[in-house]
Amino acid sequence: MPVATLLPFTATPNRKSASPTSFRLTEKFILLLVFSAFITLCFGAIFFLPDSSKLLSGVFFHSSAVETNTRTGPDSSDSGSAGNDERVLAKIRKDHEKALIEAKDTLQKRPDEIKQDIINAKEKVAKESVGQGGKDVNNLPFVEYQRPPGTTGHEPLDPETRERRAKVKEMMKHAWDSYRRYAWGSNELRPVSKQGHSSNLFGSIKGATIVDALDTLYIMEMFEEFDAATDWVEKNLDFNVNAEVSVFEVNIRFVGGLLSAYYLSGKEVFRRKAVELGEKLLPAFKTPTGIPWALLNLKSGIGRNWPWASGGSSILAEYGTLHLEFMHLSKLSGNPDFAQKVMNIRKVLNRLDKPQGLYPNYLNPNSGQWGQHHVSVGGLGDSFYEYLLKAWLMSDKTDEEGKKMYYEALQAIETNLMRKSSSGLTYIAEWKGGLLEHKMGHLTCFAGGMIALGADGAPSDKTGHQMEQAAEIARTCHESYARTALKLGPEAFRFDGGVEAIATRQNEKYFILRPEVIETYMYMWRFTHDPKYREWGWEAIQALEQHCKVEGGYSGIRDVYASTPNHDDVQQSFYLAETLKYLYLLFSDDDHLPFDHWVFNTEAHPLPVIKKDKTDRPNEVE
Ligand code: DMJ
């Protein structure tokens, strides 16, 4: 654009006569007058027209209420502050509108989508708030908690089953309330003398009944009691003790109980306590072979074995019953040591020759050699076999080594230890250097449930056979109850000297509220739905109510063949952890703690299957 067109109207280059230099005086005066009138008009506009900012605000804000509010502010007369207020208001308005849109979106979502959004948001906050490396204040990795299915059940449809299930809950309430009233904080209750009781298996760790009962309280939906127990754990459960404990007992009851409580409830305190205790148990593995000591001083970390155990040996059922809990400890702590320790036990065992394919109960942790060649599926051996099978199941059937070891061991047991009495009762004897002792322990009765649980995974030609074996063992164990005066089974029963399924020695006639027979009924019920298993469970309930129930809880009995009970005055913690839990599940539907999602440790503490499928993985360590 030529510069000339921008010049004032008076300065048109074509108008030679109108050149600025050629203005006369009168013309100059008129021009000055017009110019000053124009300036005056501009000033007038500034001072007398309405506040332009307010006019603008009227254009951009639709709500007069919002504008009114700005006027109530202390500095509303100050034009700069008013501008700030308006910017703030604009932001509030925008946020409001955004929130409204989000709320509308949320309302259109399904409840599970909303739940997932909340979990994601929480997760994000947790991740942002944890320290370096994704660890929390307890140095534990962040874990996305996802409750596995079936943690609580529903009322069975059949009225009789519903009533019986309610009866078991009532029994739990009596056992728990009595413990709470007379022995709160002690390991166990003396229900007759109504005081606390402590076994030296736990050193000076306290609260065994509380930790053992947590998951039973939860699955029975006794949430007030569960909360009281949680509170005790939070405030009082202390592992900083200068005392020697049984590594096995502390693991199955305390570590197992805490892990289950965590997986059922998602409460972090249980994960923290389980890992803390697990770490305190690790020095037990400081032996030349890595086979752990049976006893450990939690403060000094010094371990040793039971003095009576074959030349300083460790015991198969003790060092072989750590696997499930330790795999979960690694998962929840991010520390691979736990898993490595138990996998090393497998390695040591696999290097050794097994007499007739059997695993002797004793193994020297220094030499790595077997002690006495005694074999048992009851005391000293039992849960080792159980954990081989369950390690495979808990790994979502990926632990092929565990599977192979289990089915091979079971074959050796069948060949060498399983026998039939003259009247046709199947039993599992004890093996001592090749000779059989025709005795079966109450503890051995768990094997019916174990064999039923494993039958499905056995080679197909063996499945039916193993289910029959399991049913036969259940029948034998039921006979051991039926042949007593009090209808509760003895600690051990024999098949020699003309007797079958009867205790012949005075020191084998006691019943200490053990769970194994009822445990087998529960598994058999789940796999067969044969009503006899529920009937047998109901018989046991009636006997417990009649002979073991006392005003202050439930007590063991010294002689099940005596016509009246002589109480031993101990309510074992496993009565709440196992016996009552298995009874409750016996009268529950199968979707309560379903077997494809849960595996029970040897103290009946449910642990979730670690799913191999990424989309179905509860509680994965990130
Ligand atoms: C429990 O502590 C466990 O079941 C263990 O495996 C064996 N003994 C008791 C119950 O009898």
Side-chain angles (χ1 to χ4, degrees):
M1 189 180 290
V3 178
T5 57
L6 296 177
L7 288 174
F9 71 91
T10 53
T12 310
N14 298 338
R15 281 182 65 197
K16 286 178 186 143
S17 58
S19 141
T21 45
S22 60
F23 284 147
R24 279 176 298 162
L25 196 63
T26 46
E27 287 169 337
K28 280 180 186 167
F29 180 74
I30 290 166
L31 272 176
L32 190 68
L33 221 70
V34 170
F35 187 65
S36 25
F38 176 71
I39 296 290
T40 311
L41 207 70
C42 289
F43 270 93
I46 289 168
F47 289 107
F48 301 112
L49 283 177
D51 186 346
S52 58
S53 66
K54 282 164 197 164
L55 274 179
L56 284 174
S57 79
V59 171
F60 292 112
F61 295 129
H62 308 291
S63 160
S64 59
V66 173
E67 204 181 340
T68 310
N69 283 344
T70 65
R71 289 188 189 121
T72 60
D75 293 322
S76 59
S77 61
D78 179 89
S79 63
S81 169
N84 279 342
D85 284 352
E86 281 144 13
R87 268 193 297 279
V88 169
L89 277 166
K91 193 178 175 313
I92 291 171
R93 173 170 301 282
K94 221 165 141 200
D95 288 350
H96 254 101
E97 279 163 5
K98 205 174 143 217
L100 274 171
I101 291 164
E102 278 173 7
K104 222 170 113 196
D105 283 353
T106 303
L107 282 172
Q108 280 164 1
K109 284 186 179 173
R110 290 196 316 273
D112 57 323
E113 288 174 331
I114 297 173
K115 221 158 126 191
Q116 195 49 51
D117 283 354
I118 295 168
I119 291 169
N120 292 346
K122 273 189 183 169
E123 206 180 296
K124 204 172 147 226
V125 171
K127 266 184 188 160
E128 281 164 7
S129 63
V130 290
Q132 280 192 339
K135 302 260 174 136
D136 67 10
V137 283
N138 301 302
N139 209 27
L140 291 176
F142 173 71
V143 167
E144 180 198 341
Y145 174 76
Q146 238 181 297
R147 184 168 285 109
T151 53
T152 51
H154 44 80
E155 297 263 297
L157 289 177
D158 163 47
E160 186 184 68
T161 310
R162 206 164 46 231
E163 240 172 69
R164 290 178 175 186
R165 184 173 178 262
K167 177 74 198 168
V168 181
K169 185 167 172 177
E170 184 194 304
M171 292 165 80
M172 179 67 183
K173 187 147 177 52
H174 180 61
W176 175 259
D177 286 349
S178 305
Y179 166 78
R180 198 167 170 181
R181 183 152 177 210
Y182 303 117
W184 188 240
S186 298
N187 281 322
E188 286 169 326
L189 163 72
R190 286 199 177 279
V192 177
S193 52
K194 297 178 178 168
Q195 56 181 321
H197 164 72
S198 232
S199 138
N200 52 8
L201 295 172
F202 314 119
S204 45
I205 298 180
K206 301 229 172 307
T209 294
I210 298 178
V211 179
D212 239 2
L214 274 163
D215 51 11
T216 309
L217 294 171
Y218 192 96
I219 68 159
M220 291 187 183
E221 299 179 52
M222 296 170 66
F223 294 124
E224 187 275 320
E225 290 85 349
F226 179 82
D227 288 346
T230 305
D231 190 56
W232 188 90
V233 168
E234 243 163 355
K235 296 186 179 134
N236 302 291
L237 186 59
D238 184 14
F239 305 127
N240 295 311
V241 291
N242 183 4
E244 195 175 57
V245 301
S246 154
V247 174
F248 160 77
E249 293 290 354
V250 163
N251 176 59
I252 65 168
R253 302 195 202 203
F254 282 89
V255 178
L258 291 165
L259 288 173
S260 284
Y262 169 69
Y263 283 117
L264 290 169
S265 70
K267 288 186 190 286
E268 273 294 309
V269 58
F270 298 125
R271 177 167 77 118
R272 180 163 49 82
K273 290 279 182 188
V275 173
E276 183 193 337
L277 179 55
E279 278 165 0
K280 290 209 165 272
L281 295 180
L282 286 176
F285 293 82
K286 279 193 204 143
T287 65
T289 55
I291 294 293
W293 300 112
L295 299 163
L296 178 75
N297 182 300
L298 288 186
K299 181 151 192 237
S300 65
I302 294 173
R304 67 181 176 111
N305 275 340
W306 299 105
W308 49 262
S310 184
S313 290
S314 300
I315 288 165
L316 182 67
E318 296 197 331
Y319 67 76
T321 310
L322 303 165
H323 198 98
L324 305 183
E325 296 81 1
F326 275 49
M327 294 307 277
H328 270 288
L329 284 176
S330 271
K331 195 169 160 48
L332 294 181
S333 66
N335 177 359
D337 281 3
F338 298 106
Q340 275 161 12
K341 301 281 185 232
V342 289
M343 292 312 288
N344 174 62
I345 295 175
R346 290 248 188 105
K347 225 184 263 166
V348 174
L349 289 174
N350 279 327
R351 276 203 297 261
L352 283 164
D353 280 339
K354 280 137 222 108
Q356 322 276 354
L358 296 166
Y359 289 83
N361 293 337
Y362 302 108
L363 175 62
N364 191 303
N366 293 316
S367 65
Q369 296 303 313
W370 298 120
Q372 278 174 309
H373 282 198
H374 287 184
V375 178
S376 170
V377 183
L380 308 185
D382 49 8
S383 40
F384 161 69
Y385 305 100
E386 177 186 355
Y387 271 35
L388 291 178
L389 171 65
K390 290 181 177 176
W392 174 57
L393 295 174
M394 197 180 83
S395 70
D396 209 5
K397 303 189 178 171
T398 59
D399 180 356
E400 290 295 330
E401 183 183 53
K403 177 184 184 184
K404 182 169 181 285
M405 288 170 82
Y406 170 72
Y407 288 108
E408 284 178 1
L410 186 62
Q411 185 54 57
I413 288 165
E414 181 182 343
T415 310
N416 296 288
L417 275 69
M418 245 187 238
R419 295 289 179 266
K420 233 182 198 58
S421 73
S422 43
S423 76
L425 291 179
T426 299
Y427 61 94
I428 307 179
E430 312 252 309
W431 192 87
K432 294 190 170 160
L435 294 177
L436 281 186
E437 191 181 5
H438 297 271
K439 148 184 148 174
M440 182 165 174
H442 192 289
L443 290 167
T444 319
C445 286
F446 91 98
M450 174 183 77
I451 294 172
L453 180 65
D456 192 37
S460 55
D461 58 323
K462 294 265 170 72
T463 297
H465 171 63
Q466 291 192 3
M467 274 314 291
E468 274 164 35
Q469 277 181 337
E472 283 175 23
I473 290 166
R475 180 163 81 95
T476 301
C477 292
H478 175 254
E479 282 304 310
S480 79
Y481 274 50
R483 295 177 187 198
T484 69
L486 302 180
K487 305 297 171 216
L488 293 163
E491 180 66 5
F493 42 93
R494 295 190 176 253
F495 297 85
D496 56 14
V499 301
E500 293 193 359
I502 287 178
T504 50
R505 303 190 183 179
Q506 197 51 41
N507 64 358
E508 292 173 349
K509 293 183 178 172
Y510 63 87
F511 170 72
I512 54 168
L513 305 169
R514 283 198 194 278
E516 293 77 14
V517 175
I518 287 160
E519 174 180 351
T520 282
Y521 295 164
M522 193 278 291
Y523 280 101
M524 290 310 295
W525 163 257
R526 282 258 178 122
F527 289 116
T528 66
H529 283 183
D530 183 336
K532 78 172 175 234
Y533 297 112
R534 280 188 165 168
E535 277 316 306
W536 291 353
W538 182 241
E539 284 171 15
I541 288 174
Q542 287 171 300
L544 286 164
E545 286 295 271
Q546 217 181 324
H547 306 303
C548 299
K549 187 177 184 181
V550 291
E551 200 190 82
Y554 289 86
S555 167
I557 285 168
R558 293 213 162 86
D559 182 353
V560 288
Y561 300 94
S563 51
T564 51
N566 182 0
H567 293 124
D568 69 3
D569 199 13
V570 181
Q571 178 177 283
Q572 304 279 346
S573 76
F574 53 66
Y575 181 62
L576 293 88
E578 298 191 72
T579 313
L580 293 175
K581 184 186 286 131
Y582 285 136
L583 277 173
Y584 190 74
L585 292 174
L586 177 62
F587 295 106
S588 296
D589 290 348
D590 298 352
D591 58 1
H592 197 182
L593 297 176
F595 290 167
D596 48 350
H597 286 280
W598 297 91
V599 162
F600 293 90
N601 91 337
T602 196
E603 189 77 0
H605 294 307
L607 300 172
V609 170
I610 300 166
K611 295 284 181 186
K612 57 179 179 239
D613 172 9
K614 252 216 164 293
T615 56
D616 192 14
R617 232 179 229 186
N619 314 301
E620 186 66 2
V621 175
E622 294 230 324

